[in-house]
Amino acid sequence: MRISFVGFMGSGKTTVSRLTADILGHKHVEMDEEIIRISKRSNIPEIFKIDGEARFREIEAEVVHNLDSISDIVISTGGGVIQNMEIIKSLKNNNGIILWLKTSFDTVKSRVMNFNDRPLFQDVNSAFELYQKRLPLYEANADIIIETDNLSIEEVVAKVINKLQSADN
Ligand code: S3P
């Protein structure tokens, strides 16, 4: 299967997708790590600061393009891919499934606010604006929606596997 996890910053994509890939025995790709590697910078804030967000988005699209023909893969995307329809189309190639980890703003805020590694989550008001802008886009493009509020990582992973099994039949 070709599965891409989408969702807002702090929705749990990295951890949940990694465990899902382990269970399925699929390759796992963390897009942000790939972007850092290609950019030759040390972290995401550095890419935003030195190269700019536009360059970050270019590399993001390149990373997805490079994964286009791979099946049996689980991709953990960055929260912003949902604003690029070319990327979404690409993730859906080869029967690709888009799985949205739907998490309330209160929950993502409590997870992300104390970290400095997310240039687009520097203050609550602008992050909330972004959240509201993206919500309908996740909704419109997801093949599978998993609500994650108040669930443990293990519970979310169990839901994911369950939904993927029904999608596969
Ligand atoms: C971004 C989300 C981040 C990272 C970058 C931009 C976004 O990834 O790609 O900071 O636009 O929402 P996570 O969703 O993994 O935090």
Side-chain angles (χ1 to χ4, degrees):
M1 279 192 274
R2 197 172 137 75
I3 303 146
S4 298
F5 279 79
V6 302
F8 205 67
M9 295 170 263
S11 58
K13 292 166 295 199
T14 300
T15 318
V16 174
S17 64
R18 189 161 281 137
L19 290 167
T20 303
D22 284 350
I23 292 171
L24 298 176
H26 283 13
K27 178 184 167 68
H28 178 260
V29 173
E30 169 61 48
M31 280 186 55
D32 283 350
E33 275 172 18
E34 286 298 295
I35 295 169
I36 292 169
R37 194 177 56 74
I38 291 175
S39 70
K40 301 195 169 65
R41 304 288 179 205
S42 355
N43 52 50
I44 303 276
E46 199 180 296
I47 306 175
F48 269 68
K49 193 163 166 226
I50 300 173
D51 307 305
E53 181 176 350
R55 178 65 191 137
F56 174 88
R57 297 298 173 198
E58 262 175 34
I59 306 176
E60 189 171 53
E62 192 183 317
V63 168
V64 172
H65 184 65
N66 291 341
L67 302 173
D68 233 12
S69 57
I70 308 181
S71 39
D72 292 347
I73 188 171
V74 178
I75 304 170
S76 178
T77 67
V81 297
I82 206 70
Q83 290 185 250
N84 182 333
M85 281 311 119
E86 283 302 313
I87 290 188
I88 296 302
K89 234 169 70 189
S90 218
L91 295 174
K92 284 183 182 261
N93 271 348
N94 294 318
N95 300 318
I97 296 171
I98 299 213
L99 195 152
W100 175 28
L101 294 186
K102 183 177 182 185
T103 307
S104 70
F105 187 73
D106 277 349
T107 302
V108 298
K109 188 176 71 179
S110 68
R111 291 185 190 155
V112 168
M113 268 313 278
N114 297 326
F115 299 107
N116 295 321
D117 57 354
R118 288 182 171 96
L120 297 182
F121 210 125
Q122 294 302 303
D123 75 275
V124 181
N125 290 342
S126 50
F128 185 56
E129 253 178 52
L130 199 57
Y131 179 91
Q132 284 184 306
K133 180 172 160 190
R134 289 176 179 173
L135 208 61
L137 300 174
Y138 292 124
E139 186 95 56
N141 292 288
D143 302 300
I144 295 177
I145 301 175
I146 310 273
E147 306 221 8
T148 74
D149 280 339
N150 304 316
L151 295 184
S152 68
I153 296 283
E154 291 72 22
E155 286 168 329
V156 176
V157 173
K159 270 194 172 190
V160 166
I161 297 294
N162 194 278
K163 290 262 191 175
L164 286 173
Q165 276 165 351
S166 356
D168 204 26
N169 288 325

